[in-house]
DNA sequence: AGACTGACGGTCT
DNA sequence: GAGACCGCCAGTC
């Protein structure tokens, strides 16, 4: 069974260590779907915000900010709280020092996870 | 089939 | 640094 795009995206997301963040575009790229950043957002969107098994809150946009919006019905603010809890400074606008907390994974490890799970 | 939509991204102003 | 624009991909109407 070839893993679906959704499964790969979730696997990569699950690899992000506590106290670090990455971007939608990076997750897409690592999962083997360069340019499909929007799909990452789409996948994470249908996850339960209360589900802690997937660190969905560690994914932000390339501008280094939480994508806020009426459509998120508050999950954007939950995301901010979770990041603050991990020691990442997020301002009221949802912006954070991306360069400082950016997750730089080992490509080999990523491949291994995607292959084996 | 065609148009619209979105938890996006790079470039230009 | 912020905002406008256009390109991107998959789902929905």
């Amino acid at each position: 069974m070839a893993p679906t795009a959704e499964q790969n995206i979730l696997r990569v997301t699950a690899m992000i260590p506590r106290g670090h963040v990455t971007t939608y575009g990076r997750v897409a790229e690592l999962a083997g779907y360069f340019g499909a950043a929007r799909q990452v957002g789409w996948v994470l969107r249908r996850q339960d915000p209360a589900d802690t098994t997937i660190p969905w809150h560690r994914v932000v946009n390339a501008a280094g900010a939480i994508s806020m919006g009426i459509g998120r019905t508050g999950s954007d603010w939950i995301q901010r709280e979770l990041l603050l809890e991990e020691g990442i400074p997020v301002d009221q606008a949802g912006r954070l020092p991306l360069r400082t907390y950016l997750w730089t994974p080992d490509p080999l490890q990523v491949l291994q996870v995607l292959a084996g799970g």
Side-chain angles (χ1 to χ4, degrees), chain A residues 24-42:
Chain A
Y24 297 96
R26 294 277 303 186
V27 171
E29 184 179 347
L30 290 171
Y33 303 94
F34 179 80
R38 305 195 81 134
Q39 274 53 250
V40 175
W42 177 78

Side-chain angles (χ1 to χ4, degrees), chain A residues 19-23 26 60 96-105:
Chain A
H20 292 264
V21 297
T22 191
T23 70
R26 294 277 303 186
V60 300
L96 58 91
L98 180 60
R99 303 286 298 278
T100 303
Y101 298 91
L102 186 62
W103 172 51
T104 48

